[in-house]
Structure formats: C-alpha cells, structure tokens
Amino acid sequence: MFNYLAPPNAYYEFEKIYTVEQWARKQRWIVDYLTQHTPDVIGFQEVFSIESLKALTQEQGYNYFAVVDTPEVIDDFIYKRPVVAIASKYPIIEVTAVEHDSELASKLGLNTDFIFSRKVLRATITLPHIGKTDCYVVHFKSKRPSIEVNEHNKELTPEQNIIEILKANVAGGWASTIQRGSEATLLMIQMIARREATQQPMVLMGDFNNELNDSVLSHLLTSTLRFAPAVDTKTYLAKYCLNDSWDLYAKAQLLNDEDSSNTVTLDKILSDNNCGSIENTGVINKNHAKNVDLAKLIPLRAPTHYYGTSSSVLDYILLSCEFDASYDDSFYEVSDYSTYDRHLINPRYEQDDLTTDHGVVLITLKLRS
C-alpha cells in the first residue's frame, strides 16, 4: 500500500502528510484496481489507516476484513511500523497472529526476545468447493541495514565517516538477512504444524523482500529431503510443502493444453501474462511435461519491484498441493498469473504518483474438471 495513512497523520516524519487531494487520488487508484481485477481475496502490506482500508474494501464488496496488529504512533500523529491486512468476499472464520516456536528460535541461535518484524496474519477463509483454507499474509524484513550511524559525524574525517557507514551497511545488511530468513523459517515450521493438525489447504502471500531462489528463502519451496526413507517421502512432501504459483501456472498450461497434436507451444504459456518472449520456443510433447525443467523453457516473470536500474521479483503467492494441477487429489489449478505493473513501467503522474512501489501479483484459480 506504500504508506497507506489518511491525513492529517504523518508517516515516519512530521512533514510526510498527504494532502486531501493526494489521499483521494491514492484511494481512487485502489478502487480502480479492485474494480478492474475483482480479486476475491487480497492481502495488503504497509497499512497504517486500518479503518479507512476496511471501509474502502467494504464499499467494494469485501464483507470480511482482518488485521492482527496496530501501527505504532509517536507524538500523537506520527505513525511507524505499519501492519498487514486481508480482505475477502468469502467468510473469514478465524484470524490470528502466527506465534513462532521460541524453543526452536533459541536452537537457531536467535535471542529470546526475537519477534517477527511485522506480525504474520493467518486468516482461515471458507473458499468455494475446497472449504476452510489457511491464508497467510506476510511482509518479511526488508534489506535495509538494521544498524544506523550518523552519516555526518563532524568528529570524524570524511574517510572515517565512509568507513563507519561501510561497516554499518555490511553488518546491518547481514542482520536484516538473518531476520528475514529466520522469519521465513519459523513461519514455515508453524505452517507445517498447522497443516498436520488441520489438514487445511495453505496460501502464503505477500512482500517477501527477497527473491525465492535466493538461499535465504529457498527453503520455503523445499521439495527434497536428505536421509529420509524413500518410501512415501515424495507423497508426504507434496502434502506439507508449498509451490510457487508461477510454477503451478506454467505446469497447468503444459498439462491442460488440448492441441490435437498432443503438443504444447511455449507461445501459449507466454501470451497475455507479461512474461516477455523467448526465441526458438519450439514444442514439447505433453506426455513428457512432468519431466520438463520449466525454468529452462519459460523466461523470468515480470518483476514486481524496481530499484535504480535493477529489478526483481519480491512479491509471491505460494500454494499447497490442493492447487497443483499435477497432484492427483487437487481441487484447483492456477489458470492465470499476472503482474499489474503499468504504474511502474509506464506511469501517468496524475494517476500513479501515490500508488504503490510494487507490482501487484494476481492469480486465478479454476476448479479442475
């Protein structure tokens, strides 16, 4: 939501206050997105004005809304530490903040006062056909160094100042990485435990502030085990592990193509999904679809964040096996995947100057026939 805070309150610093006109534009952009794309369930990050967002979503047909935390207020009107939220057109029957396993955190070498940088929200939603589904909304720790120094210390020479800043960036960046990776690990452990207790499908969505293929977060997609007995290992892993919805979308396209030649073209996978293009796409036999390394065939998805000249995918929706078209007992498949990023790559100032600094990931689930 990129500092979603109604005036006359300020975010982080006393002068950062939206004018009435700016706030109206920000609200309008959100309404326009919801009207155009009509998601049934949507997760939010960087929410300060909880009641404002609740009212806005209710006006758009979202009768269910939840948060599990409140932002911190200093000096009566300056807000910091925004929270996550969720809105749904389907009933939310249970809401809680995920509590990590403190004993495990200690074994990981974390302090006894370890907490998530933003509380993780778990909402159990009654979705059509599949029933109770645990939906998690996260905003993992950013890459911003967690150690701050005075950048203009007059007692130091210019070179000494640079050295101190460098040391703070190296150490503070690693501290943020430890926090982010620990959050993902401790959350995943709780999700597995919840799954074991309830057998309910899982959805994990939000701003991960890291790419999934980075070793810091790659364990969220664990698909193999060391030293585990071979019997039934694959079956159990499929039940308790998560899948990137982008991979499930690509896999579903391969498995479901009804071309009479029994082949699947990559052009079909790439079309209308902001996926770019690839030369020499060729075709693959559908009988071998399960053995295809999709990463070698499909280009990277559209970035969700831009910083200077670089870009990355930081926002994800991960799903349990009930949404995997290749899983025999799945209910749904991912029939579409898109990243709304016009406001990032082709912005119109009067519409997009106060929107969000991330692309919005949207997936469509289709009931399997």
Side-chain angles (χ1 to χ4, degrees):
M1 303 295 286
F2 195 50
N3 301 319
Y4 183 82
L5 180 59
N9 295 310
Y11 50 93
Y12 301 114
E13 300 174 12
F14 72 92
E15 75 275 8
K16 292 185 176 180
I17 302 174
Y18 296 120
T19 66
V20 173
E21 179 185 359
Q22 288 173 329
W23 179 247
R25 292 209 308 272
K26 191 173 184 70
Q27 293 280 77
R28 172 50 55 187
W29 189 90
I30 299 168
V31 169
D32 288 345
Y33 177 86
L34 296 179
T35 301
Q36 179 181 353
H37 298 278
T38 63
D40 294 303
V41 179
I42 183 167
F44 300 95
Q45 294 82 37
E46 292 198 29
V47 178
F48 286 114
S49 294
I50 295 171
E51 292 304 318
S52 292
L53 183 59
K54 181 178 181 180
L56 181 150
T57 54
Q58 285 182 336
E59 290 172 359
Q60 302 306 309
Y62 296 85
N63 294 326
Y64 305 92
F65 179 90
V67 296
V68 292
D69 198 8
T70 56
E72 183 178 342
V73 185
I74 56 177
D75 296 332
D76 296 327
F77 73 101
I78 301 176
Y79 283 62
K80 64 178 184 178
R81 298 189 182 281
V83 304
V84 301
I86 192 168
S88 173
K89 294 181 179 179
Y90 299 109
I92 297 177
I93 61 174
E94 181 184 352
V95 180
T96 189
V98 176
E99 298 291 341
H100 70 276
D101 184 331
S102 57
E103 182 178 349
L104 176 59
S106 178
K107 291 181 180 179
L108 296 178
L110 302 174
N111 293 332
T112 55
D113 58 353
F114 174 88
I115 60 172
F116 289 106
S117 55
R118 291 99 173 178
K119 286 187 178 182
V120 177
L121 182 155
R122 186 186 76 221
T124 302
I125 302 177
T126 306
L127 297 179
H129 305 288
I130 202 170
K132 296 178 182 178
T133 301
D134 289 328
C135 298
Y136 298 79
V137 182
V138 299
H139 190 179
F140 290 143
K141 179 68 177 71
S142 71
K143 294 183 178 180
R144 184 186 301 276
S146 59
I147 298 176
E148 297 182 0
V149 295
N150 182 0
E151 298 180 3
H152 304 286
N153 190 335
K154 295 181 179 180
E155 296 181 0
L156 301 178
T157 67
E159 182 176 359
Q160 289 173 328
N161 253 324
I162 292 298
I163 291 173
E164 290 305 308
I165 294 171
L166 173 61
K167 290 190 294 186
N169 271 262
V170 171
W174 177 241
S176 295
T177 299
I178 293 173
Q179 175 75 23
R180 185 167 57 259
S182 299
E183 290 176 352
T185 299
L186 293 171
L187 171 61
M188 188 65 193
I189 295 301
Q190 295 307 105
M191 292 180 69
I192 293 171
R194 171 75 174 179
R195 172 75 153 172
E196 181 183 15
T198 68
Q199 303 299 306
Q200 291 169 184
M202 303 180 291
V203 177
L204 172 58
M205 53 185 166
D207 177 2
F208 289 18
N209 267 315
N210 212 112
E211 293 188 304
L212 264 179
N213 58 9
D214 189 303
S215 59
V216 176
L217 298 184
S218 59
H219 50 280
L220 288 174
L221 299 180
T222 298
S223 58
T224 59
L225 291 178
R226 287 187 176 185
F227 314 121
V231 179
D232 295 328
T233 295
K234 185 176 181 180
T235 300
Y236 292 137
L237 275 178
K239 182 178 180 181
Y240 288 97
C241 293
L242 295 170
N243 305 275
D244 188 346
S245 57
W246 165 260
D247 293 338
L248 293 185
Y249 166 67
K251 187 188 299 185
Q253 299 307 296
L254 293 173
L255 294 175
N256 292 337
D257 191 278
E258 297 178 354
D259 188 276
S260 59
S261 64
N262 203 42
T263 60
V264 182
T265 67
L266 289 180
D267 290 334
K268 179 176 179 58
I269 297 175
L270 300 174
S271 64
D272 301 323
N273 289 282
N274 297 324
C275 305
S277 60
I278 188 170
E279 296 179 352
N280 302 320
T281 56
V283 297
I284 58 177
N285 192 291
K286 205 164 56 171
N287 293 330
H288 301 295
K290 292 184 179 180
N291 298 321
V292 172
D293 185 350
L294 298 178
K296 295 180 180 179
L297 294 173
I298 302 172
L300 294 176
R301 74 191 99 185
T304 66
H305 190 258
Y306 295 86
Y307 184 77
T309 58
S310 63
S311 61
S312 54
V313 180
L314 302 182
D315 304 83
Y316 296 89
I317 301 176
L318 308 186
L319 304 167
S320 57
C321 60
E322 286 84 358
F323 308 96
D324 182 352
S326 69
Y327 186 73
D328 290 339
D329 295 326
S330 61
F331 284 78
Y332 285 95
E333 63 184 54
V334 181
S335 62
D336 195 18
Y337 181 109
S338 64
T339 300
Y340 183 78
D341 58 3
R342 184 194 58 76
H343 59 294
L344 301 177
I345 62 176
N346 187 28
R348 301 171 186 171
Y349 179 79
E350 66 280 4
Q351 295 180 8
D352 303 321
D353 64 321
L354 298 167
T355 55
T356 170
D357 58 342
H358 284 243
V360 184
V361 175
L362 176 72
I363 64 170
T364 301
L365 302 174
K366 183 178 72 173
L367 192 65
R368 293 188 65 195
S369 58

